[in-house]
């Protein structure tokens, strides 16, 4: 029986993975931190290791480095499990010797496919996780790409939807902004998951026409809300690295604003640290140009990587969005609490607004209010909504309890 070691400090996540693997007849062992994980790896010599990236004492990088230095564990297939989806993190893991990298939240099929591909390579694949399953998942990705190309060739943008998740001020409780989120409802495939769509569109370059469409529609929708009596509402749009390096990107932004008669400060562009770090000089130049128009700039998933810290002073940043990893269970995790407190304080000192992502409990909300975070978004207040549903809560004057 194939033996898999799971190294994960979040108890609920660890138990869910163990249940899934045991249901597939894998032999499992578990560790709650990197130190215990290294001890079990040396004593049990598992066939494969699944390891969380961000852990106390020894993080996933440290675990991998230590494993690769010992002959008994040097060749054990190793898969990172992490909420950090930045390409720089992926590259760092691969350079250290990881075999794969799964971004949370991942599906059962994604996990089993990753395990299958690693075990095939080691010639230890079990009957439960078969080559056929891996091929099926690959075929699905090919089908999604084929349908996406056909949709874009036909310019059938009616298949795409933009959902909006409210961003709420923590002092007044009022909705002050909305993050726009892409959805794809294909007539044959049904609703395609963003975790399948976005990476595929990024890797193929198909994100460019989609990104332009989202920007155009987000501006148009925001103007409609302004006309309906909400003139201060801001809409945030996520950017890809492909968009940021377009020579005419700034001109496109101005065009979308002018066509919709929208004030620049009502649009916020969200970039991840990874996008900025791919070409710092180009990113800085583009951001400064767009910011000079009055458009707001936000750094998304801030804290998931640390490479952008040295550039904060020179980048024209209005908002830091604190990665949801640090918010989850923050009231009971002293390390997350310390990091989040430091990020909020840093934002305050730099006169940058802080927004906490993924807030789901009253305890998390109380912590953020107690440490004077500026705003939040998350399921505690609202899931992402269609434009019509979002408009309903605007007219209903829905607020966060203060």
């Amino acid at each position: 029986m194939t033996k898999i070691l799971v190294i994960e400090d979040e108890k609920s996540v660890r138990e869910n993975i163990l249940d899934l693997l045991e249901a597939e007849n894998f032999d499992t062992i578990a560790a709650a931190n990197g130190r215990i994980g290294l001890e079990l790896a040396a004593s049990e010599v598992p066939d494969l290791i699944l390891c969380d990236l961000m852990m106390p004492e020894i993080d996933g990088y440290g675990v991998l480095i230590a494993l690769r230095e010992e002959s008994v564990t040097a060749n054990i297939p190793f898969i990172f499990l992490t909420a950090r989806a930045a390409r720089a993190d992926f590259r760092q893991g691969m350079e250290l010797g990881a075999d794969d990298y799964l971004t949370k939240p991942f599906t059962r099929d994604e996990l089993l496919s990753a395990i299958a591909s690693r075990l095939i390579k080691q010639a230890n694949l079990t009957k439960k996780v078969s080559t056929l399953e891996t091929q099926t998942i690959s075929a699905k990705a090919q089908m999604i790409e084929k349908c996406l190309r056909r949709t874009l060739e036909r310019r059938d943008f009616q298949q795409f939807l933009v959902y909006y998740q409210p961003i709420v001020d923590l002092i007044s409780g009022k909705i002050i902004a909305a993050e726009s989120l892409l959805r794809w409802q294909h007539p044959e495939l049904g609703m395609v998951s963003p975790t399948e769509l976005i990476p595929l569109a990024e890797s193929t370059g198909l994100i460019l026409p989609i990104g332009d469409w989202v920007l155009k529609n987000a501006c148009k929708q925001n103007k409609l809300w302004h006309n309906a009596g909400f003139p201060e509402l801001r809409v945030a749009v996520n950017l890809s690295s492909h968009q940021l390096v377009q020579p005419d990107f700034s001109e496109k932004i101005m065009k979308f604003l002018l066509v919709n008669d929208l004030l620049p400060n009502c649009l916020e562009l969200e970039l991840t640290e990874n996008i900025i770090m791919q070409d710092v000089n180009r990113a800085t130049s583009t951001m400064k140009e767009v910011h000079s128009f009055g458009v707001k700039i936000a750094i998304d998933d801030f804290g998931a990587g640390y490479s952008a810290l040295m550039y904060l002073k020179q980048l024209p940043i209005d908002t830091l969005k604190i990665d949801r990893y640090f918010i989850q269970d923050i009231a009971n995790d002293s390390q997350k609490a310390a990091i989040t407190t430091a990020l909020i304080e840093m934002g305050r000192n730099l006169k940058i607004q802080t927004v906490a992502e993924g807030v789901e409990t009253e305890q998390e909300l109380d912590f953020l209010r107690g440490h004077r975070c500026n705003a939040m978004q998350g399921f505690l207040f609202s899931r992402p909504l269609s434009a019509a549903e979002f408009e309903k809560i605007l007219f209903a004057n829905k607020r966060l309890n203060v």
Side-chain angles (χ1 to χ4, degrees):
M1 185 180 291
T2 301
K3 184 187 296 182
I4 297 180
L5 168 60
V6 179
I7 308 173
E8 167 64 63
D9 65 325
E10 295 281 351
K11 183 179 179 181
S12 61
V13 176
R14 184 172 67 249
E15 291 177 347
N16 286 338
I17 294 173
L18 291 174
D19 288 344
L20 186 155
L21 295 176
E22 288 166 4
E24 296 295 323
N25 288 337
F26 287 106
D27 183 12
T28 61
I29 48 179
N33 58 50
R35 178 183 55 78
I36 298 173
L38 287 171
E39 292 173 357
L40 288 174
S43 62
E44 299 286 339
V45 193
D47 298 298
L48 183 140
I49 296 174
L50 303 173
C51 185
D52 187 27
L53 180 58
M54 300 186 70
M55 297 183 294
E57 296 185 41
I58 306 174
D59 65 9
Y61 293 139
V63 170
L64 180 55
I65 291 170
L67 289 171
R68 295 301 184 239
E69 289 176 346
E70 299 296 326
S71 59
V72 71
T73 58
N75 296 315
I76 298 175
F78 187 100
I79 299 175
F80 273 125
L81 309 176
T82 176
R84 291 165 60 169
R87 197 168 298 171
D89 298 323
F90 177 90
R91 184 168 57 250
Q92 182 177 353
M94 295 302 104
E95 288 173 352
L96 291 174
D99 295 278
D100 211 340
Y101 190 106
L102 282 177
T103 302
K104 300 176 184 176
F106 45 79
T107 66
R108 168 188 174 278
D109 285 346
E110 288 170 338
L111 177 60
L112 293 180
S113 176
I115 292 172
S117 64
R118 294 309 102 195
L119 294 179
I120 289 171
K121 194 174 181 180
Q122 298 292 113
N124 290 321
L125 182 65
T126 64
K127 292 182 180 180
K128 282 289 183 180
V129 185
S130 65
T131 307
L132 178 60
E133 184 174 9
T134 303
Q135 291 172 340
T136 300
I137 294 171
S138 176
K140 182 182 179 182
Q142 291 175 4
M143 176 60 72
I144 292 174
E145 180 179 352
K146 181 179 179 181
C147 291
L148 182 59
R149 288 187 182 278
R150 186 180 302 155
T151 296
L152 294 175
E153 286 170 0
R154 296 174 177 174
R155 301 193 63 79
D156 189 7
F157 288 103
Q158 291 184 348
Q159 294 179 17
F160 296 108
L161 305 168
V162 180
Y163 275 50
Y164 298 89
Q165 186 169 36
I167 298 172
V168 185
D169 182 79
L170 288 183
I171 296 177
S172 67
K174 292 177 59 176
I175 297 172
I176 56 174
E179 180 180 354
S180 57
L181 299 163
L182 177 66
R183 299 290 185 265
W184 182 25
Q185 180 71 53
H186 189 268
E188 297 174 9
L189 299 176
M191 185 67 79
V192 179
S193 165
T195 59
E196 293 177 310
L197 171 60
I198 302 302
L200 175 64
E202 287 270 11
S203 64
T204 57
L206 298 174
I207 194 67
L208 282 174
I210 298 173
D212 286 351
W213 182 86
V214 172
L215 270 167
K216 176 182 177 181
N217 279 269
C219 290
K220 181 179 180 181
Q221 182 60 65
N222 200 23
K223 183 60 178 179
L224 292 174
W225 284 330
H226 286 191
N227 293 342
F230 306 96
E232 296 181 0
L233 188 70
R234 187 173 72 255
V235 168
V237 179
N238 293 280
L239 294 185
S240 77
S241 56
H242 292 280
Q243 290 173 282
L244 197 62
V245 298
Q246 286 180 291
D248 61 344
F249 178 72
S250 299
E251 287 78 5
K252 282 187 178 181
I253 295 297
M254 284 303 299
K255 176 185 174 181
F256 293 140
L257 293 171
L258 291 170
V259 166
N260 292 285
D261 191 25
L262 190 68
L263 292 175
N265 63 3
C266 294
L267 174 64
E268 185 167 67
L269 302 179
E270 293 192 6
L271 304 92
T272 63
E273 295 178 63
N274 176 53
I275 290 175
I276 297 171
M277 292 305 108
Q278 286 184 21
D279 189 338
V280 173
N281 293 333
R282 183 73 171 269
T284 301
S285 175
T286 302
M287 290 166 66
K288 285 182 176 179
E289 184 173 5
V290 173
H291 195 261
S292 70
F293 305 155
V295 174
K296 301 292 185 182
I297 302 291
I299 303 300
D300 197 14
D301 300 331
F302 193 80
Y306 304 98
S307 52
L309 284 172
M310 67 185 74
Y311 297 102
L312 280 180
K313 287 183 65 177
Q314 70 185 69
L315 294 172
I317 299 169
D318 301 285
T319 305
L320 294 179
K321 303 191 73 174
I322 302 172
D323 188 82
R324 65 178 181 175
Y325 170 84
F326 298 105
I327 306 302
Q328 184 180 21
D329 199 35
I330 193 171
N332 302 311
D333 190 316
S334 59
Q335 289 189 327
K336 289 181 179 180
I339 293 171
T340 301
T341 301
L343 292 176
I344 294 171
E345 184 64 26
M346 180 179 66
R348 186 180 303 116
N349 291 336
L350 294 173
K351 294 181 173 53
I352 297 173
Q353 295 289 298
T354 51
V355 177
E357 298 182 291
V359 181
E360 297 184 359
T361 69
E362 292 289 347
Q363 291 80 6
E364 293 164 0
L365 177 61
D366 290 342
F367 179 93
L368 294 166
R369 276 189 170 140
H371 290 81
R372 295 193 291 166
C373 183
N374 298 113
M376 63 78 75
Q377 68 181 94
F379 289 178
L380 179 64
F381 184 80
S382 175
R383 294 173 177 270
L385 304 169
S386 67
E389 291 172 327
F390 188 90
E391 189 167 303
K392 286 180 182 178
I393 68 171
L394 285 178
F395 280 111
N397 195 27
K398 180 178 179 179
R399 295 191 180 208
L400 195 65
N401 293 329
V402 295

